[in-house]
Amino acid sequence: MKTKKITKAVFPVAGLGTRFLPATKSIPKEIMTLVDRPLIQYAIDEARAAGIKEFIFVTSRGKSALEDYFDHAPELESALRRSGKDELLEVLKGTNMDSGAIAYVRQNRPLGLGHAVWCARRLIGNEPFAVLLPDDVIAAERPCLQQMVEAHAETGGCMVAAMEVTPERISSYGVLDVEDERGSVVKVRGMVEKPKASEAPSNLAVIGRYILTPKVLTNLNRMKQGAGGEIQLTDAIAEETGSKAGVHGLRFRGQRYDCGSKIGFLQATVAFGLSRPEFGVEFETFLHELMSMQKAAQ
Ligand code: G1P
Protein backbone atom coordinates (compact mmCIF):
# COMPACT_ATOMS: atom_id res chain seq x y z
CA MET A 1 0.00 0.00 0.00
CA LYS A 2 1.19 3.52 -0.82
CA THR A 3 1.11 5.58 2.37
CA LYS A 4 2.27 9.14 2.83
CA LYS A 5 5.46 9.57 4.86
CA ILE A 6 4.80 10.52 8.47
CA THR A 7 6.90 13.54 9.40
CA LYS A 8 4.82 15.33 12.04
CA ALA A 9 4.23 14.30 15.62
CA VAL A 10 2.07 15.75 18.36
CA PHE A 11 3.14 15.57 22.00
CA PRO A 12 0.27 16.35 24.35
CA VAL A 13 2.00 17.83 27.42
CA ALA A 14 -0.67 20.08 28.89
CA GLY A 15 -1.54 17.89 31.90
CA LEU A 16 -1.03 19.21 35.42
CA GLY A 17 0.79 16.11 36.64
CA THR A 18 -1.02 16.20 39.98
CA ARG A 19 -0.01 12.61 40.74
CA PHE A 20 3.54 13.84 41.17
CA LEU A 21 2.88 16.77 43.48
CA PRO A 22 4.73 18.42 45.09
CA ALA A 23 7.46 17.82 42.44
CA THR A 24 5.20 19.11 39.67
CA LYS A 25 4.32 22.30 41.53
CA SER A 26 7.16 24.07 39.76
CA ILE A 27 8.45 21.67 37.09
CA PRO A 28 6.45 20.08 34.27
CA LYS A 29 6.00 16.34 34.71
CA GLU A 30 7.67 15.80 31.33
CA ILE A 31 10.93 17.27 32.66
CA MET A 32 11.14 14.70 35.46
CA THR A 33 14.14 12.50 34.78
CA LEU A 34 14.79 8.82 34.36
CA VAL A 35 18.45 8.60 35.41
CA ASP A 36 19.58 11.80 33.65
CA ARG A 37 17.16 12.37 30.80
CA PRO A 38 13.74 13.99 31.07
CA LEU A 39 10.73 11.88 30.09
CA ILE A 40 10.15 14.10 27.06
CA GLN A 41 13.63 13.36 25.71
CA TYR A 42 12.80 9.64 25.45
CA ALA A 43 9.69 10.47 23.40
CA ILE A 44 11.59 12.89 21.15
CA ASP A 45 14.38 10.39 20.48
CA GLU A 46 11.81 7.73 19.62
CA ALA A 47 10.04 10.10 17.23
CA ARG A 48 13.31 11.09 15.55
CA ALA A 49 14.24 7.45 15.06
CA ALA A 50 10.91 6.96 13.28
CA GLY A 51 11.61 9.78 10.81
CA ILE A 52 9.66 12.60 12.47
CA LYS A 53 10.90 16.04 11.40
CA GLU A 54 8.30 18.37 12.93
CA PHE A 55 7.47 18.31 16.62
CA ILE A 56 4.26 19.89 17.88
CA PHE A 57 3.81 20.34 21.61
CA VAL A 58 0.38 20.97 23.06
CA THR A 59 1.16 22.79 26.28
CA SER A 60 -0.57 24.80 28.99
CA ARG A 61 0.34 27.39 31.61
CA GLY A 62 3.44 26.60 33.64
CA LYS A 63 5.16 24.55 30.92
CA SER A 64 7.74 27.11 29.80
CA ALA A 65 10.58 24.95 31.18
CA LEU A 66 9.86 22.63 28.24
CA GLU A 67 10.48 25.41 25.72
CA ASP A 68 13.77 26.28 27.42
CA TYR A 69 14.78 22.64 27.44
CA PHE A 70 14.64 22.42 23.65
CA ASP A 71 16.35 25.76 23.07
CA HIS A 72 20.08 26.36 22.60
CA ALA A 73 21.89 27.30 25.79
CA PRO A 74 24.78 29.49 24.50
CA GLU A 75 26.42 30.21 27.89
CA LEU A 76 26.34 26.57 28.94
CA GLU A 77 27.61 25.43 25.54
CA SER A 78 30.55 27.84 25.51
CA ALA A 79 31.47 26.94 29.10
CA LEU A 80 31.55 23.26 28.13
CA ARG A 81 33.57 24.07 25.02
CA ARG A 82 36.12 26.10 27.01
CA SER A 83 36.63 23.25 29.44
CA GLY A 84 36.92 20.69 26.65
CA LYS A 85 33.82 18.72 27.71
CA ASP A 86 33.02 17.51 24.20
CA GLU A 87 31.04 14.50 25.34
CA LEU A 88 28.60 16.67 27.25
CA LEU A 89 28.32 19.01 24.27
CA GLU A 90 27.30 15.99 22.20
CA VAL A 91 24.68 15.06 24.82
CA LEU A 92 23.28 18.60 24.67
CA LYS A 93 22.98 18.39 20.88
CA GLY A 94 20.22 15.81 21.32
CA THR A 95 18.11 18.43 23.11
CA ASN A 96 18.38 21.08 20.40
CA MET A 97 15.78 21.46 17.71
CA ASP A 98 16.33 23.05 14.31
CA SER A 99 14.61 26.40 13.92
CA GLY A 100 11.11 25.84 12.65
CA ALA A 101 11.14 22.15 13.54
CA ILE A 102 9.32 22.71 16.79
CA ALA A 103 6.02 24.41 17.50
CA TYR A 104 3.95 25.02 20.59
CA VAL A 105 0.21 25.43 20.82
CA ARG A 106 -1.70 25.94 24.00
CA GLN A 107 -4.64 23.93 25.19
CA ASN A 108 -6.22 26.62 27.31
CA ARG A 109 -8.85 24.37 28.89
CA PRO A 110 -8.32 20.77 30.10
CA LEU A 111 -11.03 19.14 27.99
CA GLY A 112 -9.30 15.81 27.35
CA LEU A 113 -6.73 14.11 25.13
CA GLY A 114 -8.90 14.37 22.01
CA HIS A 115 -9.23 18.10 22.51
CA ALA A 116 -5.46 18.44 23.08
CA VAL A 117 -4.69 16.76 19.74
CA TRP A 118 -7.41 18.83 18.01
CA CYS A 119 -5.64 22.00 19.24
CA ALA A 120 -2.77 21.10 16.86
CA ARG A 121 -5.02 20.68 13.80
CA ARG A 122 -3.80 23.74 11.88
CA LEU A 123 -0.17 22.72 12.27
CA ILE A 124 -0.91 19.18 11.16
CA GLY A 125 -2.89 20.11 8.07
CA ASN A 126 -4.09 17.38 5.75
CA GLU A 127 -1.60 14.56 6.29
CA PRO A 128 -1.19 11.52 8.52
CA PHE A 129 0.59 12.27 11.78
CA ALA A 130 1.87 10.58 14.92
CA VAL A 131 0.90 11.19 18.53
CA LEU A 132 3.22 10.25 21.39
CA LEU A 133 2.18 10.39 25.05
CA PRO A 134 5.46 10.98 26.92
CA ASP A 135 4.10 9.27 30.08
CA ASP A 136 4.39 5.98 28.24
CA VAL A 137 8.09 5.23 28.04
CA ILE A 138 8.91 2.22 25.89
CA ALA A 139 12.28 0.49 26.02
CA ALA A 140 12.72 -1.44 22.79
CA GLU A 141 15.48 -2.65 20.54
CA ARG A 142 13.64 -1.07 17.63
CA PRO A 143 11.81 2.04 18.85
CA CYS A 144 8.04 1.50 19.13
CA LEU A 145 7.01 4.29 16.75
CA GLN A 146 9.43 2.96 14.13
CA GLN A 147 7.81 -0.48 14.41
CA MET A 148 4.45 1.22 13.89
CA VAL A 149 5.60 3.27 10.89
CA GLU A 150 6.78 0.05 9.23
CA ALA A 151 3.55 -1.80 9.97
CA HIS A 152 1.51 1.22 8.91
CA ALA A 153 3.18 1.22 5.49
CA GLU A 154 1.31 -2.06 4.91
CA THR A 155 -2.06 -1.17 6.47
CA GLY A 156 -2.54 2.60 6.01
CA GLY A 157 -5.40 4.16 7.97
CA CYS A 158 -5.05 4.61 11.72
CA MET A 159 -2.77 2.57 13.93
CA VAL A 160 -2.43 2.40 17.72
CA ALA A 161 0.17 0.66 19.88
CA ALA A 162 -1.42 -2.23 21.76
CA MET A 163 -0.52 -4.33 24.78
CA GLU A 164 -2.33 -6.87 26.92
CA VAL A 165 -3.11 -5.73 30.46
CA THR A 166 -4.66 -7.45 33.48
CA PRO A 167 -8.42 -7.17 34.16
CA GLU A 168 -7.67 -4.99 37.23
CA ARG A 169 -5.91 -2.42 35.03
CA ILE A 170 -8.14 -2.49 31.94
CA SER A 171 -10.42 0.36 33.10
CA SER A 172 -7.45 2.79 32.89
CA TYR A 173 -7.08 2.37 29.13
CA GLY A 174 -8.62 2.64 25.72
CA VAL A 175 -9.50 -0.97 24.81
CA LEU A 176 -9.65 -2.67 21.41
CA ASP A 177 -12.46 -4.77 20.05
CA VAL A 178 -10.52 -7.13 17.78
CA GLU A 179 -11.92 -8.34 14.47
CA ASP A 180 -8.95 -10.25 13.18
CA GLU A 181 -5.28 -10.91 13.98
CA ARG A 182 -2.38 -11.30 11.57
CA GLY A 183 0.92 -11.79 13.38
CA SER A 184 1.45 -8.76 15.54
CA VAL A 185 -1.11 -6.63 13.68
CA VAL A 186 -4.75 -6.72 14.77
CA LYS A 187 -7.67 -5.34 12.81
CA VAL A 188 -9.89 -3.30 15.09
CA ARG A 189 -13.67 -3.14 14.79
CA GLY A 190 -14.33 -0.96 17.83
CA MET A 191 -12.64 0.91 20.67
CA VAL A 192 -13.87 1.80 24.15
CA GLU A 193 -12.28 4.35 26.45
CA LYS A 194 -11.81 3.19 30.05
CA PRO A 195 -14.49 0.48 30.19
CA LYS A 196 -15.37 -1.47 33.33
CA ALA A 197 -13.49 -4.79 33.36
CA SER A 198 -16.79 -6.65 32.97
CA GLU A 199 -17.64 -4.65 29.84
CA ALA A 200 -14.23 -4.52 28.16
CA PRO A 201 -14.26 -6.02 24.63
CA SER A 202 -10.79 -7.57 25.18
CA ASN A 203 -7.70 -7.26 27.34
CA LEU A 204 -5.82 -5.45 24.58
CA ALA A 205 -5.16 -1.88 25.68
CA VAL A 206 -4.08 1.17 23.72
CA ILE A 207 -0.64 2.45 24.72
CA GLY A 208 0.34 6.07 24.04
CA ARG A 209 1.58 5.83 20.44
CA TYR A 210 -0.69 6.56 17.52
CA ILE A 211 -0.50 7.07 13.76
CA LEU A 212 -3.63 8.90 12.68
CA THR A 213 -5.28 10.13 9.52
CA PRO A 214 -6.37 13.79 9.31
CA LYS A 215 -9.96 12.48 9.28
CA VAL A 216 -9.59 11.90 13.04
CA LEU A 217 -9.19 15.69 13.42
CA THR A 218 -12.41 16.24 11.47
CA ASN A 219 -14.15 13.78 13.81
CA LEU A 220 -12.82 15.76 16.77
CA ASN A 221 -14.44 18.94 15.39
CA ARG A 222 -17.72 17.62 16.75
CA MET A 223 -16.33 17.82 20.32
CA LYS A 224 -18.36 14.91 21.58
CA GLN A 225 -17.90 14.30 25.30
CA GLY A 226 -16.96 10.74 26.18
CA ALA A 227 -15.68 8.82 29.21
CA GLY A 228 -15.14 11.05 32.26
CA GLY A 229 -16.90 13.93 30.45
CA GLU A 230 -13.74 14.48 28.35
CA ILE A 231 -13.26 14.72 24.59
CA GLN A 232 -11.58 11.40 23.97
CA LEU A 233 -9.10 10.63 21.22
CA THR A 234 -10.21 6.99 21.42
CA ASP A 235 -13.76 7.92 20.33
CA ALA A 236 -12.55 9.92 17.33
CA ILE A 237 -10.34 7.01 16.21
CA ALA A 238 -13.15 4.50 16.81
CA GLU A 239 -15.24 6.35 14.21
CA GLU A 240 -12.63 5.32 11.63
CA THR A 241 -13.03 1.58 12.20
CA GLY A 242 -15.63 1.48 9.43
CA SER A 243 -13.47 3.40 6.92
CA LYS A 244 -11.67 1.75 4.00
CA ALA A 245 -8.20 1.47 5.53
CA GLY A 246 -9.70 1.18 9.02
CA VAL A 247 -7.92 1.01 12.36
CA HIS A 248 -5.19 -1.43 13.35
CA GLY A 249 -3.41 -2.18 16.58
CA LEU A 250 0.23 -3.21 16.71
CA ARG A 251 1.41 -5.53 19.46
CA PHE A 252 4.78 -3.83 19.63
CA ARG A 253 7.94 -5.50 20.89
CA GLY A 254 9.34 -3.75 23.93
CA GLN A 255 8.87 -3.02 27.59
CA ARG A 256 6.46 -0.23 28.41
CA TYR A 257 6.61 1.76 31.62
CA ASP A 258 3.65 3.79 32.83
CA CYS A 259 5.56 6.86 33.97
CA GLY A 260 2.29 8.65 34.66
CA SER A 261 2.15 6.58 37.87
CA LYS A 262 4.65 6.63 40.71
CA ILE A 263 5.20 2.88 40.67
CA GLY A 264 5.75 2.88 36.90
CA PHE A 265 8.17 5.76 37.21
CA LEU A 266 10.14 3.92 39.90
CA GLN A 267 10.23 0.73 37.84
CA ALA A 268 11.49 2.67 34.82
CA THR A 269 14.15 4.40 36.92
CA VAL A 270 15.48 1.07 38.16
CA ALA A 271 15.32 -0.58 34.72
CA PHE A 272 17.04 2.28 32.92
CA GLY A 273 19.60 2.53 35.74
CA LEU A 274 20.41 -1.17 35.34
CA SER A 275 20.80 -0.82 31.57
CA ARG A 276 23.43 1.94 31.82
CA PRO A 277 26.88 0.55 31.10
CA GLU A 278 28.60 3.36 33.03
CA PHE A 279 27.32 1.97 36.35
CA GLY A 280 28.85 -1.44 35.64
CA VAL A 281 27.56 -3.90 38.26
CA GLU A 282 27.52 -1.31 41.04
CA PHE A 283 23.81 -0.53 40.90
CA GLU A 284 22.86 -4.18 40.49
CA THR A 285 24.98 -5.18 43.46
CA PHE A 286 23.39 -2.40 45.50
CA LEU A 287 19.89 -3.66 44.62
CA HIS A 288 20.79 -7.24 45.58
CA GLU A 289 22.22 -6.11 48.90
CA LEU A 290 19.21 -3.95 49.62
CA MET A 291 16.85 -6.84 48.91
CA SER A 292 18.75 -9.23 51.15
CA MET A 293 18.81 -6.65 53.95
CA GLN A 294 15.07 -6.21 53.60
CA LYS A 295 14.49 -9.98 53.66
CA ALA A 296 16.67 -10.38 56.75
CA ALA A 297 14.72 -7.64 58.53
CA GLN A 298 11.34 -9.32 57.87
C1 G1P B 1 -4.76 7.88 27.55
C2 G1P B 1 -5.79 7.42 26.53
C3 G1P B 1 -6.04 5.93 26.68
C4 G1P B 1 -4.75 5.16 26.57
C5 G1P B 1 -3.72 5.68 27.59
C6 G1P B 1 -2.37 5.04 27.37
O1 G1P B 1 -5.33 7.78 28.83
O2 G1P B 1 -6.98 8.17 26.71
O3 G1P B 1 -6.94 5.50 25.68
O4 G1P B 1 -4.99 3.79 26.78
O5 G1P B 1 -3.57 7.11 27.47
O6 G1P B 1 -1.46 5.43 28.33
P1 G1P B 1 -4.72 8.54 30.11
O7 G1P B 1 -3.57 7.70 30.60
O8 G1P B 1 -4.28 9.89 29.65
O9 G1P B 1 -5.83 8.59 31.12
Side-chain angles (χ1 to χ4, degrees), residues 72-102:
H72 283 270
E75 294 91 358
L76 178 60
E77 285 164 25
S78 52
L80 292 175
R81 210 165 288 121
R82 274 199 307 277
S83 46
K85 299 205 164 130
D86 295 342
E87 267 174 44
L88 288 178
L89 272 170
E90 250 338 279
V91 170
L92 273 194
K93 263 195 198 153
T95 68
N96 293 156
M97 292 281 187
D98 294 340
S99 294
I102 190 162

mmCIF file of all heavy atoms in Angstrom, residues 72-102:
data_model
loop_
_atom_site.group_PDB
_atom_site.id
_atom_site.type_symbol
_atom_site.label_atom_id
_atom_site.label_comp_id
_atom_site.label_asym_id
_atom_site.label_seq_id
_atom_site.Cartn_x
_atom_site.Cartn_y
_atom_site.Cartn_z
ATOM 1 N N HIS A 72 18.621 26.340 22.419
ATOM 2 C CA HIS A 72 20.079 26.359 22.601
ATOM 3 C C HIS A 72 20.390 27.062 23.912
ATOM 4 O O HIS A 72 19.666 27.950 24.340
ATOM 5 C CB HIS A 72 20.747 27.100 21.447
ATOM 6 C CG HIS A 72 20.814 26.269 20.215
ATOM 7 N ND1 HIS A 72 21.878 25.439 19.944
ATOM 8 C CD2 HIS A 72 19.932 26.109 19.216
ATOM 9 C CE1 HIS A 72 21.636 24.809 18.801
ATOM 10 N NE2 HIS A 72 20.467 25.193 18.335
ATOM 11 N N ALA A 73 21.484 26.664 24.545
ATOM 12 C CA ALA A 73 21.894 27.297 25.795
ATOM 13 C C ALA A 73 23.317 27.825 25.584
ATOM 14 O O ALA A 73 24.289 27.168 25.966
ATOM 15 C CB ALA A 73 21.828 26.287 26.928
ATOM 16 N N PRO A 74 23.461 29.017 24.938
ATOM 17 C CA PRO A 74 24.780 29.492 24.498
ATOM 18 C C PRO A 74 25.828 29.566 25.622
ATOM 19 O O PRO A 74 26.963 29.124 25.422
ATOM 20 C CB PRO A 74 24.486 30.885 23.932
ATOM 21 C CG PRO A 74 23.028 30.938 23.698
ATOM 22 C CD PRO A 74 22.391 29.957 24.615
ATOM 23 N N GLU A 75 25.426 30.068 26.810
ATOM 24 C CA GLU A 75 26.423 30.212 27.893
ATOM 25 C C GLU A 75 26.926 28.832 28.313
ATOM 26 O O GLU A 75 28.125 28.604 28.456
ATOM 27 C CB GLU A 75 25.836 30.902 29.134
ATOM 28 C CG GLU A 75 25.435 32.342 28.932
ATOM 29 C CD GLU A 75 23.985 32.474 28.486
ATOM 30 O OE1 GLU A 75 23.317 31.424 28.310
ATOM 31 O OE2 GLU A 75 23.526 33.617 28.280
ATOM 32 N N LEU A 76 25.982 27.922 28.515
ATOM 33 C CA LEU A 76 26.340 26.570 28.945
ATOM 34 C C LEU A 76 27.230 25.904 27.893
ATOM 35 O O LEU A 76 28.267 25.299 28.209
ATOM 36 C CB LEU A 76 25.053 25.756 29.147
ATOM 37 C CG LEU A 76 25.189 24.289 29.542
ATOM 38 C CD1 LEU A 76 25.941 24.148 30.865
ATOM 39 C CD2 LEU A 76 23.807 23.644 29.668
ATOM 40 N N GLU A 77 26.840 26.072 26.614
ATOM 41 C CA GLU A 77 27.614 25.433 25.543
ATOM 42 C C GLU A 77 29.039 25.987 25.477
ATOM 43 O O GLU A 77 29.997 25.226 25.344
ATOM 44 C CB GLU A 77 26.895 25.605 24.198
ATOM 45 C CG GLU A 77 25.686 24.676 24.083
ATOM 46 C CD GLU A 77 24.720 25.051 22.972
ATOM 47 O OE1 GLU A 77 25.148 25.708 21.997
ATOM 48 O OE2 GLU A 77 23.528 24.697 23.086
ATOM 49 N N SER A 78 29.183 27.321 25.623
ATOM 50 C CA SER A 78 30.553 27.845 25.512
ATOM 51 C C SER A 78 31.372 27.473 26.748
ATOM 52 O O SER A 78 32.585 27.237 26.635
ATOM 53 C CB SER A 78 30.584 29.346 25.200
ATOM 54 O OG SER A 78 29.793 30.040 26.099
ATOM 55 N N ALA A 79 30.726 27.373 27.907
ATOM 56 C CA ALA A 79 31.466 26.945 29.104
ATOM 57 C C ALA A 79 31.977 25.513 28.921
ATOM 58 O O ALA A 79 33.125 25.199 29.238
ATOM 59 C CB ALA A 79 30.567 27.027 30.334
ATOM 60 N N LEU A 80 31.135 24.660 28.358
ATOM 61 C CA LEU A 80 31.549 23.263 28.134
ATOM 62 C C LEU A 80 32.666 23.197 27.100
ATOM 63 O O LEU A 80 33.612 22.412 27.232
ATOM 64 C CB LEU A 80 30.356 22.413 27.673
ATOM 65 C CG LEU A 80 29.236 22.174 28.690
ATOM 66 C CD1 LEU A 80 28.071 21.423 28.052
ATOM 67 C CD2 LEU A 80 29.756 21.373 29.885
ATOM 68 N N ARG A 81 32.555 24.057 26.075
ATOM 69 C CA ARG A 81 33.572 24.073 25.024
ATOM 70 C C ARG A 81 34.921 24.503 25.595
ATOM 71 O O ARG A 81 35.944 23.885 25.338
ATOM 72 C CB ARG A 81 33.124 25.023 23.892
ATOM 73 C CG ARG A 81 33.655 24.612 22.524
ATOM 74 C CD ARG A 81 32.933 25.318 21.390
ATOM 75 N NE ARG A 81 31.568 24.847 21.188
ATOM 76 C CZ ARG A 81 30.477 25.600 21.263
ATOM 77 N NH1 ARG A 81 30.570 26.887 21.552
ATOM 78 N NH2 ARG A 81 29.286 25.086 21.057
ATOM 79 N N ARG A 82 34.875 25.573 26.411
ATOM 80 C CA ARG A 82 36.121 26.096 27.008
ATOM 81 C C ARG A 82 36.807 25.032 27.853
ATOM 82 O O ARG A 82 38.019 24.921 27.878
ATOM 83 C CB ARG A 82 35.808 27.312 27.901
ATOM 84 C CG ARG A 82 35.773 28.623 27.127
ATOM 85 C CD ARG A 82 35.921 29.806 28.075
ATOM 86 N NE ARG A 82 34.961 29.803 29.172
ATOM 87 C CZ ARG A 82 33.716 30.271 29.082
ATOM 88 N NH1 ARG A 82 33.294 30.795 27.955
ATOM 89 N NH2 ARG A 82 32.893 30.230 30.111
ATOM 90 N N SER A 83 35.995 24.234 28.567
ATOM 91 C CA SER A 83 36.625 23.249 29.442
ATOM 92 C C SER A 83 36.813 21.896 28.751
ATOM 93 O O SER A 83 37.096 20.884 29.401
ATOM 94 C CB SER A 83 35.833 23.111 30.747
ATOM 95 O OG SER A 83 34.467 23.011 30.449
ATOM 96 N N GLY A 84 36.630 21.892 27.434
ATOM 97 C CA GLY A 84 36.921 20.688 26.651
ATOM 98 C C GLY A 84 35.977 19.513 26.928
ATOM 99 O O GLY A 84 36.335 18.356 26.724
ATOM 100 N N LYS A 85 34.759 19.822 27.400
ATOM 101 C CA LYS A 85 33.821 18.723 27.712
ATOM 102 C C LYS A 85 32.983 18.373 26.478
ATOM 103 O O LYS A 85 31.767 18.580 26.428
ATOM 104 C CB LYS A 85 32.935 19.121 28.888
ATOM 105 C CG LYS A 85 33.747 19.400 30.144
ATOM 106 C CD LYS A 85 32.950 19.210 31.393
ATOM 107 C CE LYS A 85 33.852 19.099 32.600
ATOM 108 N NZ LYS A 85 33.478 19.981 33.689
ATOM 109 N N ASP A 86 33.675 17.790 25.482
ATOM 110 C CA ASP A 86 33.024 17.513 24.203
ATOM 111 C C ASP A 86 31.898 16.493 24.310
ATOM 112 O O ASP A 86 30.896 16.587 23.614
ATOM 113 C CB ASP A 86 34.066 17.015 23.188
ATOM 114 C CG ASP A 86 35.078 18.092 22.876
ATOM 115 O OD1 ASP A 86 34.774 19.272 23.172
ATOM 116 O OD2 ASP A 86 36.171 17.773 22.370
ATOM 117 N N GLU A 87 32.086 15.525 25.203
ATOM 118 C CA GLU A 87 31.045 14.496 25.342
ATOM 119 C C GLU A 87 29.726 15.107 25.804
ATOM 120 O O GLU A 87 28.654 14.759 25.309
ATOM 121 C CB GLU A 87 31.469 13.461 26.390
ATOM 122 C CG GLU A 87 32.186 12.284 25.797
ATOM 123 C CD GLU A 87 32.719 11.367 26.874
ATOM 124 O OE1 GLU A 87 31.982 11.086 27.835
ATOM 125 O OE2 GLU A 87 33.884 10.960 26.746
ATOM 126 N N LEU A 88 29.819 16.037 26.754
ATOM 127 C CA LEU A 88 28.599 16.675 27.251
ATOM 128 C C LEU A 88 27.980 17.577 26.183
ATOM 129 O O LEU A 88 26.750 17.667 26.082
ATOM 130 C CB LEU A 88 28.891 17.479 28.522
ATOM 131 C CG LEU A 88 29.167 16.629 29.763
ATOM 132 C CD1 LEU A 88 29.484 17.506 30.967
ATOM 133 C CD2 LEU A 88 27.968 15.739 30.088
ATOM 134 N N LEU A 89 28.835 18.185 25.368
ATOM 135 C CA LEU A 89 28.319 19.005 24.266
ATOM 136 C C LEU A 89 27.499 18.140 23.305
ATOM 137 O O LEU A 89 26.443 18.534 22.825
ATOM 138 C CB LEU A 89 29.470 19.648 23.497
ATOM 139 C CG LEU A 89 29.959 20.994 24.035
ATOM 140 C CD1 LEU A 89 31.254 21.398 23.343
ATOM 141 C CD2 LEU A 89 28.901 22.078 23.862
ATOM 142 N N GLU A 90 28.018 16.943 23.070
ATOM 143 C CA GLU A 90 27.302 15.987 22.204
ATOM 144 C C GLU A 90 25.943 15.649 22.812
ATOM 145 O O GLU A 90 24.929 15.616 22.126
ATOM 146 C CB GLU A 90 28.120 14.697 22.109
ATOM 147 C CG GLU A 90 28.794 14.353 20.798
ATOM 148 C CD GLU A 90 28.239 14.977 19.548
ATOM 149 O OE1 GLU A 90 27.240 14.452 19.041
ATOM 150 O OE2 GLU A 90 28.816 15.969 19.061
ATOM 151 N N VAL A 91 25.924 15.395 24.133
ATOM 152 C CA VAL A 91 24.675 15.063 24.823
ATOM 153 C C VAL A 91 23.678 16.213 24.651
ATOM 154 O O VAL A 91 22.495 15.995 24.364
ATOM 155 C CB VAL A 91 24.938 14.796 26.335
ATOM 156 C CG1 VAL A 91 23.630 14.696 27.105
ATOM 157 C CG2 VAL A 91 25.758 13.531 26.514
ATOM 158 N N LEU A 92 24.173 17.433 24.791
ATOM 159 C CA LEU A 92 23.284 18.602 24.669
ATOM 160 C C LEU A 92 22.685 18.722 23.272
ATOM 161 O O LEU A 92 21.562 19.173 23.119
ATOM 162 C CB LEU A 92 24.045 19.888 24.987
ATOM 163 C CG LEU A 92 24.123 20.325 26.447
ATOM 164 C CD1 LEU A 92 24.613 21.766 26.518
ATOM 165 C CD2 LEU A 92 22.774 20.224 27.148
ATOM 166 N N LYS A 93 23.468 18.306 22.270
ATOM 167 C CA LYS A 93 22.982 18.390 20.877
ATOM 168 C C LYS A 93 21.630 17.710 20.708
ATOM 169 O O LYS A 93 20.779 18.162 19.969
ATOM 170 C CB LYS A 93 23.988 17.752 19.926
ATOM 171 C CG LYS A 93 24.902 18.763 19.274
ATOM 172 C CD LYS A 93 25.596 18.125 18.085
ATOM 173 C CE LYS A 93 26.810 18.938 17.697
ATOM 174 N NZ LYS A 93 27.819 18.103 17.043
ATOM 175 N N GLY A 94 21.465 16.583 21.423
ATOM 176 C CA GLY A 94 20.219 15.814 21.316
ATOM 177 C C GLY A 94 19.009 16.579 21.814
ATOM 178 O O GLY A 94 17.870 16.210 21.555
ATOM 179 N N THR A 95 19.243 17.670 22.567
ATOM 180 C CA THR A 95 18.113 18.435 23.110
ATOM 181 C C THR A 95 17.759 19.617 22.214
ATOM 182 O O THR A 95 16.745 20.256 22.419
ATOM 183 C CB THR A 95 18.446 19.000 24.516
ATOM 184 O OG1 THR A 95 19.459 20.002 24.378
ATOM 185 C CG2 THR A 95 18.912 17.925 25.458
ATOM 186 N N ASN A 96 18.632 19.914 21.251
ATOM 187 C CA ASN A 96 18.378 21.081 20.395
ATOM 188 C C ASN A 96 17.483 20.722 19.223
ATOM 189 O O ASN A 96 17.556 19.624 18.678
ATOM 190 C CB ASN A 96 19.695 21.642 19.841
ATOM 191 C CG ASN A 96 20.561 22.229 20.956
ATOM 192 O OD1 ASN A 96 21.750 22.314 20.823
ATOM 193 N ND2 ASN A 96 19.935 22.602 22.061
ATOM 194 N N MET A 97 16.662 21.662 18.858
ATOM 195 C CA MET A 97 15.783 21.458 17.709
ATOM 196 C C MET A 97 16.147 22.481 16.657
ATOM 197 O O MET A 97 16.435 23.638 16.980
ATOM 198 C CB MET A 97 14.336 21.721 18.128
ATOM 199 C CG MET A 97 13.820 20.688 19.079
ATOM 200 S SD MET A 97 13.364 19.221 18.162
ATOM 201 C CE MET A 97 12.601 18.280 19.450
ATOM 202 N N ASP A 98 16.103 22.089 15.393
ATOM 203 C CA ASP A 98 16.331 23.054 14.315
ATOM 204 C C ASP A 98 15.247 24.123 14.374
ATOM 205 O O ASP A 98 14.112 23.831 14.745
ATOM 206 C CB ASP A 98 16.238 22.351 12.946
ATOM 207 C CG ASP A 98 17.363 21.362 12.768
ATOM 208 O OD1 ASP A 98 18.375 21.489 13.476
ATOM 209 O OD2 ASP A 98 17.196 20.457 11.912
ATOM 210 N N SER A 99 15.621 25.332 13.963
ATOM 211 C CA SER A 99 14.613 26.401 13.917
ATOM 212 C C SER A 99 13.478 25.972 13.000
ATOM 213 O O SER A 99 13.719 25.442 11.918
ATOM 214 C CB SER A 99 15.231 27.687 13.372
ATOM 215 O OG SER A 99 16.191 28.147 14.276
ATOM 216 N N GLY A 100 12.278 26.176 13.464
ATOM 217 C CA GLY A 100 11.115 25.840 12.650
ATOM 218 C C GLY A 100 10.692 24.387 12.747
ATOM 219 O O GLY A 100 9.654 23.996 12.232
ATOM 220 N N ALA A 101 11.508 23.564 13.438
ATOM 221 C CA ALA A 101 11.143 22.147 13.541
ATOM 222 C C ALA A 101 10.223 21.894 14.730
ATOM 223 O O ALA A 101 9.668 20.815 14.887
ATOM 224 C CB ALA A 101 12.400 21.293 13.693
ATOM 225 N N ILE A 102 10.082 22.915 15.560
ATOM 226 C CA ILE A 102 9.325 22.712 16.789
ATOM 227 C C ILE A 102 8.272 23.808 16.916
ATOM 228 O O ILE A 102 8.526 24.961 16.578
ATOM 229 C CB ILE A 102 10.297 22.691 17.991
ATOM 230 C CG1 ILE A 102 9.609 22.248 19.260
ATOM 231 C CG2 ILE A 102 10.998 24.011 18.204
ATOM 232 C CD1 ILE A 102 10.600 21.794 20.320
#
